[in-house]
Amino acid sequence: MLPCTPRGIRHRFAEALRNPVSPWVAMALFFLCLVGPTWLRAETISGTIQDSSGAVIPGARIEITGGDLAQPIVLASDGLGKFASSELKAGTYSVRVTRDGFEPLLKTVDLRGTVQLQLTLAVAQQLVTVNVPGKSLAFANSDPLYRELRNVALGQTYHLDNFTLTYDVGTFQFRKGTLTVLNPVNRVVTGAIFIGEGHFNLKPVLRLDAHELERRTGAAEANEDFTQAVFRFTREAWVKFVPGLGEQMGTPAEAGAVLSHWRGRVRERRERPLGFSEYLLQGEAMDNVDADLMAAFYNPLHPPFFNAYLRGTRHKDLRFFVRNRVGALPQLDSPEEVALVNYDPEGMDDGVFYLAHLKSEYLNRTASSGEDRRLFATHRYKIETVISKNDHLFSIATITFEPLLTGERVLKFGLLPNLRVTRVIDEQGQALYWIQESRKEDGSFYAILPSASEAGKEHSITVEYTGDKVLEEAGEGSFYVSARTSWYPNLNGFGERALYDLTYKVPHRYKVVSVGQLQAESKEQDFAVTHWVTPIPVAVAGFNYGDYKKIEMPDEKTGYKISGYYLSELPNSLQGYKERAFLQSMAPGSMTKYALEQTRAQLQLCSYYFGRSPYDDIYITEQPNFAFGQSWPNLVYLPISAYMDSTQRWMLFGRINDKFTGFVQEVTPHEVAHQWWGHAVSWGSYHDQWLSEGFAEFSAGLFLQQAVGKDWRKDYIEFWERLRLRILEKNNFGVAPNDAGPIWMGLRLISPRSESAYQNVTYPKGAYILQMLRSMMYDSESQDKDFIAMMHDFVESHREKAATTESFKTIAEKHMTKLMDLRKNGRLDWFFDEWVYGTQVPRYHFEYQVTPGEAGKVKLHMTISQSEVDEHFAMLVPVFADFGNGMTPIAQVGIGGDTSRSFDIVLPSRPKKVALNAYKEILER
């Protein structure tokens, strides 16, 4: 935000005059009012727009006519609901106010001096379609090429019989039928409709993908007969169809119905997805196929894509996508170019059947999770946000970016569809076309640059937008903050890091706690203004919001500045318990101190084990969510349950809930650890997300072992036992999370029969994988020295680039001990094949005898049996002995296959007990 000085005001006022309907006008005039009355002449109409509850209404259109005006004056109310028009002559004027969702209001004003109006709008009797006000309407969804693509009609029809088309790993056999071509746009064919008898086959390249397809469908290849198919593609694909075209014929009436049905399927959006495929394909970030085609028209070098939508005999909506660079499913932040999705949100076979790299990349050994899938690189965001008293957002965002491909003109942003764009301009203030269909349709936001861009040259655009659904009141002074990655136009999601300059203007009783460092705070009438800047690039911006009280707890040992923000009132969800003694005794201030003490201890522990966090400031904030925590760069959201003691939770549940007690123990150290895992070190794709969630979960276990004092063993063992059960316990379908597939599948583990598999594999099994590496690297003399060196190396080598499973494996192999080299090749393929790319979990049986040895020593004879694994499975298993001070490791035993192994070791004295895997740190059945 510009400083409130005459120079800054003149700058904004001049900008506003270029477009009188812009919200910049209202903002500038509001600042003028703050400076002093000398800026306004005697004849002024100003006022505030509000609803019947007294909440201000931003973005209202105010039209002033009459007097000696040759043409109407058009204004927009600012984020405070205010407007002002000066330099008017005395006379009689009409003030007409309109706003979507409200009845129009007409007010007659006899102007003799200054008139201050308080205008109240009534809620409309019927909801109307959201429209963009004023001149900007001409630039929304109105690009001529886009309109032609959006409304493309049917063209010529041909016989298509006994023809085979191959696209990467997908093969289409058109046995008998018709192909109706969509009318060419600029002489380019962008789609076709097949009706008849056809067959589709997909044969995976990798064995891992074949296993996943077999788990999903019962076969290692996909085979589907189909009767209808809709194809949409960029210019390169049409030539593949041409050799199969037969005689031209009349267009069947059914073709029009197929096209209409397809449009409904790919354009409609539900606010709450029913299944995983709907979440991916029809969620907040859903693709607008017509806008994607437009991007390829505007840049002939745009990465090509090929989409096939099949109505099969078994699967009624099977979708095959091939999309270079951007990725077949960009919603998963993956560069994998080929996908097969069964879109069946209400069925039991819903989900992603196949997602992999191009066949040519596997054959050429160039496939990598680290491929850059971006078309543009974001450098900076400058965002100014006003939160009105009715929780409505009014924002202006300037995004500075660099094209990575020459010629690109179309940028797709992640933006909550409820946030409606009202204006887009370039650096020169020139209005730009943009695409944003209805929030109930494919309403993703695309901006269109006026000309082809040059790769490597920095550009910026400014987006004005307004709407709701980002904040939801949770009670007196507390709010649910939703849309945490899409409350602003986010160009590449977690796929990159950028600098953020953030200004918030909110009702004065509330505080904003934001990512970044606080630069300034002030008051403007009834609003509090804060300005935050991220000193280094970060992956995402976010904030928490409410009637917060603040506590500070600096850490002199590490230098981190820790602040805690808590709510003094209970959210509505707990108001029913407010009068009960156990919640009346809640002491959020003291519990915040406890949370900050946990934070300080975890920051110290993680700094020792992993290296320093990149953020000097860390803000711990309470949120009204009861069982959900999250961590943004230097901003942690903790659930309100973390601010209750064990007695209060017991009274609330009416019993001791061991699982929830475990959650409360883990949530603060887990979320604090995300300052390393997810932020200091980001992940490459959904395949690698276990490096974030699993490592944060491991760090919570490390906290229970290292930071709670001498009585750590019980909680630590229970922690790993909880994780083991989460991985291996079967659900009502008889499917354990581990059975849903390897951890490398990430979000694709989700299916109707394994809805919780992602949560119960990525987190706990990811923690186990790291802990098992730690266990194998442990030495009785140097203890965790080798493991700590590995983790420091991993963090330092990935501060500027995303981590992948492959890059972590490389670091682990660099630091592996000789004992870990089971295959004698200096590699950890055996370990990653078993635990990251596989699903086997061994069962162990342990027997031992202790007999007297020489010179007062004892002989320990042990037999270890490993079962329920194949002959290739190998593991190093730790053996512990208790000599009176608790279990300590005495040996690492290597064992391979479904077998037993016996061996002897000499101990200095007789142990009280000997045990295998005493602390549950190795995953076993």
Side-chain angles (χ1 to χ4, degrees), residues 170-183:
T171 300
F172 300 86
Q173 294 176 338
F174 302 100
R175 293 167 178 162
K176 183 177 180 62
T178 63
L179 189 73
T180 301
V181 181
L182 299 185
N183 271 335

Side-chain angles (χ1 to χ4, degrees), residues 44-152:
T44 299
I45 296 177
S46 61
T48 303
I49 313 298
Q50 62 184 29
D51 63 17
S52 57
S53 71
V56 298
I57 301 175
R61 186 177 188 269
I62 301 100
E63 182 179 294
I64 303 174
T65 57
D68 68 341
L69 294 175
Q71 60 184 15
I73 294 175
V74 179
L75 305 171
S77 61
D78 67 9
L80 307 179
K82 295 183 179 297
F83 71 95
S85 179
S86 61
E87 305 295 342
L88 298 173
K89 293 184 178 180
T92 301
Y93 294 85
S94 293
V95 179
R96 189 173 189 270
V97 183
T98 57
R99 183 69 169 91
D100 296 319
F102 295 90
E103 296 288 351
L105 176 67
L106 184 64
K107 177 79 172 178
T108 300
V109 177
D110 187 14
L111 184 61
R112 299 288 187 273
T114 298
V115 173
Q116 178 75 30
L117 301 175
Q118 192 83 9
L119 301 176
T120 301
L121 300 187
V123 176
Q125 296 301 309
Q126 293 182 333
L127 293 176
V128 296
T129 303
V130 174
N131 288 317
V132 181
K135 293 181 180 179
S136 294
L137 178 63
F139 295 91
N141 304 323
S142 57
D143 177 273
L145 177 59
Y146 174 73
R147 295 312 319 162
E148 193 172 355
L149 289 165
R150 189 75 171 175
N151 301 315
V152 67

